[in-house]
Amino acid sequence: MGPAVLWWALAAGLVAVHLYHAFSMVGPSHSFGSDGTDHQVSTDDRRPRGWPATFALSAALVYLPMIWSPTAWGISQVYFVASAALLLRGVPRGLLVAAPIVVTAVGTAVTGVDSRHLVPAIEVVVVFTALAGCLVGVTHLVRAVHQLDRTRTLLADLAADRERLRLSRDLHDLLGQSLSAVSLKGDLATALLPSDPEAAQSEIHSIGELTRDTLQAMRRVTLGEHTISLHTEVVGACALLSAAGIDTHHRLDLPALTPEVDNTFAWATREGVTNVLRHSTARTCSIVAGRREGTYFLEIVNDGAHRTKGTGHGLSGLAERTSALSGTVSARCGSDGSFRLRIELPGGTP
C-alpha cells in the first residue's frame, strides 16, 4: 500500500508542476500602459516566476523515480517534454524535446524483444510525440480561446465607443442648427410682436413645429435611422440664412451621389451654416457644390467671420465623417474677414 501511494503522489506532483507551467502560458498577449497604449507581451514574459526551479523539479520528478522503475515510469517523460517545449527557447528547447524521445526509442530498440524490426522504438516515438504534442496543443488552444474572448471584449468596447461618438457627433450637428434656428425665430418674433403680431405669431408657431421635428429627428438619431440629403439641407439653410438677413447664393452642380457622399455633404452643410449663424456677423454666404478633376467638393464661404483659436467639436466631427470616405476638410479665415469651409471627397473618374 505504501509504494502505491508514493507513486500516486509523485504522479500528482508531476501533473501539478506541468499545469503550473501550462497555465502561466495562457496569460494575455497584450497589456495596456497607463497612457492606454497597447503593448505586445512576449512569450518570455508569460513564463512563470521561478520557472528554472520548477522545470528542474519536473525533471527530478520524472527521472529520479526511473532509477527504480524505468519501464513503468518512462511514459512520464511526456510531461518533461511538454514543459520543455513551453518554457525553453532556441537550441535548448530542441535538444530537451528531442533527447528524451530519441534516447527512450533507442533504448527500447536495443533491449526490446523485437529489436530487429524496430517496432517498439517506432511506437515510442509515435506515442511520446503524440502525447507531448497533445499537452502542448491544449495549452495553445486554451491560450487562443482566452485571446479570442479578450479580443471579442475589446471589439465590443470599441463598438460602444464608436456608437457614443456617432451619437454625440450627430446630436451636436442636429441640435446646433435647430437651436440656432429656434433662437433666431424667437428674436424675430420678439422684434415683430409690437408692429406685426400676426407675423410674430407665425414665427412662434414655426418654432413649435421646428422643436417637434427636432425631437423626432433626435429619436431617429438614437436609433441610427436619421438620414438627411444635400438638396434638402441646402434649401433649408438658404431659408434660415435669409431669415437672419444674410444674402445667400447657392449652386449645386453634381451628378447623382452615393448615399454616403450625399449624407456627408448634407451634414457638412448643416455644420457650416450653423457656424455662420453662431460665429459670424455675416452679410453674405455662398454654398457651392460640384465636381472637379474626379473629386466632389462642397464649399461654404461667408464674410464677417470671427477669428477663434482651435477647432470646435462640429469641425472635428465633420473631419471624422469625411476621413471615413477618404476625404479632406479645410477651414480657413481670410485676411478680408471671410471664412471658407471646403470638403473634398473622392468622386471616381470624371
Side-chain angles (χ1 to χ4, degrees), residues 173-183 210-211 213-214 217 240 270 274:
D173 294 345
L174 173 68
L175 295 178
Q177 188 180 90
S178 298
L179 293 178
S180 296
V182 168
S183 176
L210 179 60
T211 54
D213 291 342
T214 302
L240 184 59
R270 179 180 287 264
T274 301

Side-chain angles (χ1 to χ4, degrees), residues 24 73 171 195 230 267:
S24 68
W73 195 248
L171 289 175
S195 59
L230 175 60
W267 282 114

Side-chain angles (χ1 to χ4, degrees), residues 8-345:
W8 279 108
L10 288 173
L14 179 59
V15 172
V17 172
H18 174 73
L19 290 177
Y20 174 67
H21 296 158
F23 286 152
S24 68
M25 307 299 290
V26 180
S29 61
H30 296 266
S31 66
F32 295 90
S34 58
D35 57 353
T37 55
D38 188 7
H39 302 285
Q40 183 76 24
V41 177
S42 67
T43 54
D44 290 347
D45 293 334
R46 289 198 295 266
R47 291 186 293 190
R49 292 182 179 179
W51 68 267
T54 58
F55 183 64
L57 176 61
S58 175
L61 290 173
V62 169
Y63 291 105
L64 287 180
M66 288 178 64
I67 297 174
W68 296 276
S69 182
T71 302
W73 195 248
I75 193 65
S76 66
Q77 293 180 94
V78 296
Y79 289 101
F80 175 80
V81 172
S83 293
L86 292 173
L87 298 175
L88 302 179
R89 304 289 178 264
V91 176
R93 175 166 59 181
L95 290 175
L96 291 183
V97 166
I101 301 175
V102 173
V103 171
T104 304
V106 171
T108 303
V110 171
T111 61
V113 177
D114 193 13
S115 59
R116 291 178 301 172
H117 298 92
L118 302 180
V119 173
I122 294 174
E123 291 178 349
V124 166
V125 173
V126 172
V127 172
F128 274 45
T129 303
L131 292 178
C134 287
L135 292 174
V136 175
V138 167
T139 301
H140 287 291
L141 179 61
V142 173
R143 183 196 306 172
V145 171
H146 177 81
Q147 292 177 350
L148 180 61
D149 183 68
R150 181 176 175 83
T151 301
R152 184 171 56 185
T153 301
L154 292 175
L155 289 176
D157 292 340
L158 289 175
D161 289 340
R162 283 197 299 268
E163 182 64 11
R164 282 193 291 268
L165 288 174
R166 183 193 68 81
L167 282 174
S168 63
R169 182 186 62 201
D170 289 358
L171 289 175
H172 174 275
D173 294 345
L174 173 68
L175 295 178
Q177 188 180 90
S178 298
L179 293 178
S180 296
V182 168
S183 176
L184 176 63
K185 289 180 176 293
D187 293 341
L188 183 59
T190 301
L192 290 174
L193 189 59
S195 59
D196 194 346
E198 292 184 1
Q201 186 177 10
S202 176
E203 292 296 334
I204 293 173
H205 283 307
S206 67
I207 291 175
E209 294 177 358
L210 179 60
T211 54
R212 285 190 291 272
D213 291 342
T214 302
L215 180 60
Q216 293 178 0
M218 286 179 59
R219 290 171 178 167
R220 292 194 296 270
V221 164
T222 57
L223 296 175
E225 300 173 351
H226 184 65
T227 58
I228 58 179
S229 67
L230 175 60
H231 177 74
T232 302
E233 284 300 315
V234 169
V235 171
C238 290
L240 184 59
L241 291 172
S242 297
I246 300 174
D247 187 17
T248 307
H249 305 279
H250 73 277
R251 185 178 77 253
L252 302 180
D253 185 15
L254 287 169
L257 301 174
T258 63
E260 294 80 9
V261 173
D262 187 68
N263 186 70
T264 300
F265 276 165
W267 282 114
T269 301
R270 179 180 287 264
E271 173 62 23
V273 170
T274 301
N275 287 339
V276 172
L277 293 173
R278 296 176 59 187
H279 304 302
S280 75
T281 55
R283 296 184 302 275
T284 62
C285 180
S286 67
I287 303 173
V288 178
R291 188 179 186 185
R292 183 178 301 161
E293 297 179 355
T295 300
Y296 296 127
F297 72 89
L298 172 70
E299 192 171 71
I300 302 176
V301 183
N302 64 277
D303 60 0
H306 298 160
R307 292 187 175 274
T308 58
K309 295 182 179 179
T311 58
H313 294 291
L315 291 179
S316 298
L318 185 56
E320 292 175 3
R321 294 182 192 275
T322 55
S323 63
L325 299 179
S326 301
T328 59
V329 177
S330 62
R332 298 192 301 271
C333 288
S335 57
D336 57 351
S338 63
F339 183 83
R340 184 182 304 272
L341 175 65
R342 185 179 178 90
I343 298 92
E344 294 184 353
L345 297 174

